[in-house]
Amino acid sequence: MRNLKIAEILRNSLAGAEITVSGWVRTKRDSKSVCFLEINDGSCLSNLQAVVDRNGVTNPDEVERANTGASVVVSGTLQESPGKNQSVELAVSTVQVIGEAPPETYPLQKKRHSFEFLREIAHLRPRTNTFGAVARVRNAMSYAIHRFFQDRGFYYIHTPIISTSDAEGAGEMFQVTTLPLEEIAAGKNGVNYEEDFFGRKAALTVSGQLEAEVYALAMSNVYTFGPTFRAEKSNTTRHLAEFWMIEPEMAFCDINCNMDLAEEFLKYILSQVLEHCRED
């Protein structure tokens, strides 16, 4: 049997095909003779409904272990669904549980969870629709950003993450050090940066601007796209401790050229994200 991704199954008309699907159980609905498993494999936001006839499946004991959150491999025949919520469903012949998720301890259930709660289970929150959607949008935007600049002859420049420069005072910096802070705080040792790893005070970058400007004066059009860090003590949506920033630098470019590029960039990125979301 072919092992297919759910995104491919839903995109193509494969009714009648014998297939295998690997994924995680999103929900489980039980009756005396039939069990319905909603399976997601991460290839898209949509689930595939797997219909398990307890009298027809080869290993009914495995069905009992396939609870919400469990990792499973199911095989069977893809058929048109009589239900309204999906075009096809999988008539399951075999179920294999790869990893169990006991209902009494698995925290994600078929209900809305708060962001505060999801912060406490960071290892599982990518399975939620919200975090899955955010990851897909960021993936589409990252790809579109590189494509936009590459198609226009820009060079992608890798700038340092650890720096000694605050880039024109762009923000408070997170210091990076190998000095024994506990001993310094206790007054046992003073601060001597000559003994530090870099031999001077260093921090996480707040911007790749200065390095990009240097390369622009040799390669004309360049851009940076990477993580930056700001140690500003402000708990608002406008002040993040860590974020990714895009910084194009262009030689022989005036304000009008800059505005044209910014407008073209925003239109392109947003259109690419909308197109990607329609495909998902």
Side-chain angles (χ1 to χ4, degrees):
M1 292 186 182
R2 289 189 296 165
N3 197 325
L4 298 178
K5 293 295 185 182
I6 291 175
E8 181 182 352
I9 294 170
L10 299 181
R11 274 198 305 263
N12 303 300
S13 179
L14 299 172
E18 298 287 324
I19 64 169
T20 296
V21 173
S22 305
W24 299 271
V25 178
R26 280 291 183 91
T27 63
K28 179 180 183 179
R29 291 183 290 120
D30 250 329
S31 68
K32 191 171 184 178
S33 58
V34 179
C35 175
F36 297 92
L37 302 176
E38 291 285 334
I39 298 175
N40 188 278
D41 65 0
S43 61
C44 61
L45 284 174
S46 300
N47 304 323
L48 177 66
Q49 178 169 274
V51 183
V52 184
D53 184 345
R54 295 181 185 277
N55 298 320
V57 73
T58 57
N59 47 354
D61 291 342
E62 287 288 271
V63 180
E64 304 304 320
R65 300 171 58 220
N67 297 304
T68 298
S71 172
V72 298
V73 177
V74 293
S75 301
T77 305
L78 200 63
Q79 59 187 21
E80 294 184 3
S81 176
K84 297 180 181 179
N85 296 327
Q86 60 276 326
S87 58
V88 292
E89 61 186 23
L90 184 64
V92 176
S93 57
T94 61
V95 177
Q96 180 185 4
V97 176
I98 304 298
E100 290 190 76
E104 60 273 11
T105 58
Y106 186 72
L108 291 177
Q109 300 300 324
K110 192 178 180 181
K111 64 178 182 178
R112 186 179 296 275
H113 297 288
S114 68
F115 288 139
E116 288 74 16
F117 174 74
L118 293 177
R119 287 190 186 99
E120 299 174 357
I121 50 170
H123 63 299
L124 292 174
R125 66 186 183 187
R127 295 189 183 186
T128 64
N129 286 339
T130 298
F131 279 85
V134 169
R136 287 172 172 83
V137 169
R138 290 192 64 166
N139 171 71
M141 292 187 73
S142 296
Y143 176 72
I145 287 165
H146 285 294
R147 188 171 181 179
F148 174 85
F149 286 113
Q150 292 293 324
D151 288 349
R152 286 156 180 79
F154 282 69
Y155 292 100
Y156 177 39
I157 304 301
H158 291 247
T159 56
I161 292 178
I162 300 176
S163 174
T164 59
S165 169
D166 66 354
E168 299 180 355
E172 297 295 327
M173 304 178 75
F174 285 103
Q175 188 172 346
V176 176
T177 182
T178 57
L179 294 174
L181 298 182
E182 295 83 0
E183 295 181 10
I184 294 173
K188 296 180 180 179
N189 290 312
V191 179
N192 182 2
Y193 285 110
E194 292 183 358
E195 298 179 358
D196 204 354
F197 185 88
F198 297 102
R200 59 188 298 189
K201 193 173 182 179
L204 298 177
T205 183
V206 295
S207 170
Q209 171 193 351
L210 299 183
E211 291 84 357
E213 288 176 351
V214 170
Y215 276 90
L217 295 179
M219 304 174 74
S220 286
N221 292 347
V222 303
Y223 72 101
T224 72
F225 177 44
T228 53
F229 308 86
R230 305 286 171 88
E232 298 166 354
K233 294 182 179 180
S234 180
N235 187 21
T236 72
T237 57
R238 294 179 178 273
H239 294 83
L240 297 176
E242 176 184 351
F243 59 95
W244 279 57
M245 187 156 62
I246 306 139
E247 296 177 284
E249 294 290 346
M250 297 167 286
F252 313 106
C253 173
D254 60 18
I255 186 65
N256 295 307
C257 171
N258 192 22
M259 290 190 298
D260 290 342
L261 181 76
E263 181 179 352
E264 189 180 357
F265 172 80
L266 289 175
K267 288 179 178 178
Y268 180 84
I269 299 302
L270 293 176
S271 66
Q272 291 297 303
V273 170
L274 290 173
E275 181 178 340
H276 181 86
C277 291
R278 281 195 294 269
E279 292 177 355
D280 271 354

